[in-house]
Amino acid sequence: MTPARQCPVPMIRHYRLSRIEAGRLSRLAWPILGAQLAQMGMGTLDVAMSGHVDATALAAVSIGSSVWLPIMVAFIGILMGLTPIVAQHVGARDWAAVRPALHQALWVAGVFGTASAVGLYLASDWLLALFAIPPEVAALAGAYLRAVAFGLPAVAAYETLRFYSDALGHTRASLLFALLGLGVNAVANAVLIFGGPGLVAAFGPNLLPGLAGLPALGAVGCGIATTISMWTMLIGLFVYTRWHGAYAPARIGPAWHAPAVLPIGEQLRIGVPIGVSLFSEVSLFTAITLLLAGYGEIVVSAHTVALNFSALLFMLPLSLGMALTVRVGQARGRAKFRHARFIAFNALALAMGVALVLDAILIFGGPYAVGLYTDNTAVRQLAVQLLLIATIYQFSDAAQVALAGALRGYKDTRVLMWVTLVAYWPVGLGSGHLLAAGVDGLFTGLGVYGYWIGLIAGLSVAAMLLLLRLTWVSRPVRRQPI
């Protein structure tokens, strides 16, 4: 055969498989992305609408959110362990094992959701007393937290059903009910925060008859609205899972299962490290914000703006990582070990492409995005500079979240937890604080830039260690076609 006739068949086949797998992963990821953005929108609505009451209400909701959101993230991480469990059952076509796994996860959700609710309701004032918060703000934040506490059991059960849906490959349910929650939250906020006087002022006396006498509850109304949206999402998704045909293959066996030690143990073995990892990540950014408080309002504001915008963009690689857990888990369930490895590393390459797109958005769109947050020139200039630093860690950030998603698909979460703890705290925060403060006689502190450089170091270490772990975990154990 002459060179002109030679055809690199393996290369062409690999390209086609890569394109097919990227399409499958994207179809799973886009609804998850929409759901993540809708859930972020709920928090944005709470802050924006409470800010139109007064500064005290805004401070109460902001502080209260910083207390209950990390708690929610921790138990959501524990419940996220359901995704690889169900995905592997689905891949193995072991449909009879899916419903029992869901029921055991719901028992776990009930315990953690109820315990979090009771703890938050009883200890909200004590938690707020740990910080130097003005008394009027602390009292209002405590009332807000007690209102939100009633919604935590609902959000725990909802997230369990959501992860169950994702593992079945039906990620559209996540988007549908996240949008429902966003809409309910917006309406409930308007009614409960501003009450009748606010609604009449906004819509006129004849548009909403009978509502003029509703009291304006301010920050407390925001908390009640959040609880209403949580229960609405749960009820809606529960009815949906009982009705929609996508769940029909899993409707095998008893309608309910009593708690069982071994399945709950598996859920906790996989989920607790995920919860610790997510909590360590959220608390890292909280710690940096608190450490920057002494640098002045310009620095804190610019840091908050840049972090908020970069977190918004981070939803894209995060959604890919969550979808990757499903794809890898299903391939593992089918005992397609080489294909699971192919899926994981193909997604890693896709994540690098996503990071390149995000860098372009940060460089060319960052100045315009920052302008939507503030009119302060000093804040805008500093925020843009921080976003330029963020372009450096987009690749390591996208890589580590994709690698973490793949490892969850392998049910390999314990090493992931330790890598996250070490990379984020001793490396990320430790180096960031050292660079920010400086060392006498060696170098001058870099301030807020130091903390953002520390993030680059932490995320890069996490990406490298997780890459090594995935390479080891996914090593082929038998010869098998992709």
Side-chain angles (χ1 to χ4, degrees):
M1 181 179 293
T2 63
R5 288 188 171 186
Q6 289 179 355
C7 179
V9 175
M11 183 179 297
I12 293 175
R13 181 170 178 266
H14 189 278
Y15 170 75
R16 288 174 178 172
L17 287 174
S18 298
R19 188 177 61 182
I20 292 170
E21 186 53 46
R24 290 171 177 169
L25 187 66
S26 299
R27 284 191 292 273
L28 284 176
W30 283 117
I32 296 176
L33 173 62
Q36 295 295 117
L37 293 176
Q39 289 183 334
M40 285 188 68
M42 291 175 64
T44 302
L45 270 179
D46 287 348
V47 171
M49 297 180 79
S50 61
H52 284 283
V53 177
D54 54 39
T56 303
L58 175 59
V61 171
S62 300
I63 292 171
S65 297
S66 68
V67 172
W68 73 268
L69 283 176
I71 297 173
M72 185 186 74
V73 166
F75 70 64
I76 284 179
I78 295 172
L79 299 171
M80 196 181 289
L82 178 65
T83 301
I85 293 174
V86 171
Q88 292 199 13
H89 289 324
V90 171
R93 299 299 186 262
D94 187 7
W95 294 106
V98 172
R99 179 178 270 186
L102 169 63
H103 292 168
Q104 300 307 315
L106 285 171
W107 281 112
V108 175
V111 170
F112 278 98
T114 302
S116 299
V118 172
L120 188 64
Y121 187 89
L122 297 178
S124 56
D125 290 335
W126 175 80
L127 288 171
L128 294 169
L130 298 176
F131 305 97
I133 302 172
E136 66 277 10
V137 175
L140 198 55
Y144 164 78
L145 286 174
R146 286 187 287 274
V148 170
F150 287 97
L152 293 184
V155 76
Y158 165 78
E159 293 293 341
T160 304
L161 293 176
R162 174 195 170 187
F163 296 140
Y164 161 66
S165 299
D166 290 349
L168 293 177
H170 190 63
T171 55
R172 285 178 294 174
S174 299
L175 174 60
L176 177 63
F177 290 98
L179 291 174
L180 173 65
L182 179 63
V184 170
N185 188 60
V187 174
N189 268 347
V191 173
L192 295 172
I193 292 177
F194 304 111
L199 293 174
V200 169
F203 300 107
N206 299 321
L207 186 60
L208 298 168
L211 297 182
L214 286 176
L217 300 178
V220 179
C222 182
I224 297 172
T226 299
T227 291
I228 291 173
S229 65
M230 289 175 177
W231 280 101
T232 302
M233 292 163 69
L234 171 61
I235 294 170
L237 185 53
F238 174 77
V239 173
Y240 186 84
T241 58
R242 301 284 293 180
W243 162 77
H244 199 278
Y247 305 88
R251 297 188 188 118
I252 299 175
W256 191 247
H257 292 80
V261 174
L262 291 180
I264 288 179
E266 183 184 27
Q267 173 75 41
L268 295 177
R269 178 180 61 82
I270 298 171
V272 168
I274 300 175
V276 173
S277 300
L278 293 180
F279 181 80
S280 68
E281 182 176 1
V282 172
S283 58
L284 167 68
F285 290 104
T286 301
I288 292 176
T289 302
L290 292 174
L291 289 170
L292 286 173
Y295 287 84
E297 61 182 14
I298 297 295
V299 170
V300 173
S301 298
H303 167 78
T304 302
V305 168
L307 193 60
N308 185 272
F309 182 59
S310 60
L312 181 66
L313 297 180
F314 176 70
M315 291 300 105
L316 182 52
L318 176 63
S319 302
L320 285 175
M322 296 176 71
L324 183 56
T325 300
V326 178
R327 293 291 301 148
V328 170
Q330 291 181 352
R332 287 282 297 170
R334 292 193 301 271
K336 297 290 186 180
F337 304 110
R338 288 189 64 201
H339 188 53
R341 180 184 176 95
F342 174 80
I343 291 171
F345 284 96
N346 189 68
L348 180 60
L350 182 61
M352 295 300 93
V354 168
L356 189 62
V357 173
L358 297 184
D359 268 359
I361 294 174
L362 288 170
I363 293 171
F364 298 107
Y368 300 99
V370 166
L372 299 176
Y373 286 87
T374 179
D375 294 325
N376 188 294
T377 303
V379 173
R380 292 172 65 173
Q381 290 177 347
L382 181 55
V384 169
Q385 292 172 0
L386 295 178
L387 288 179
L388 291 177
I389 297 176
T391 61
I392 302 174
Y393 70 66
Q394 289 306 307
F395 291 95
S396 56
D397 202 10
Q400 65 89 20
V401 76
L403 293 164
L407 288 170
R408 288 196 296 268
Y410 280 96
K411 297 184 180 178
D412 187 73
T413 58
R414 190 172 301 177
V415 173
L416 170 62
M417 175 186 70
W418 289 114
V419 167
T420 301
L421 288 173
V422 172
Y424 286 176
W425 283 87
V427 177
L429 185 61
S431 64
H433 186 66
L434 181 65
L435 291 171
V439 177
D440 291 338
L442 292 178
F443 63 91
T444 304
L446 300 176
V448 65
Y449 303 107
Y451 286 109
W452 280 67
I453 295 172
L455 289 176
I456 297 173
L459 292 170
S460 299
V461 169
M464 288 186 291
L465 293 177
L466 292 179
L467 178 60
L468 292 174
R469 181 62 180 176
L470 180 63
T471 302
W472 171 258
V473 169
S474 66
R475 67 195 187 282
V477 296
R478 64 184 68 177
R479 296 189 64 82
Q480 203 179 62
I482 293 179

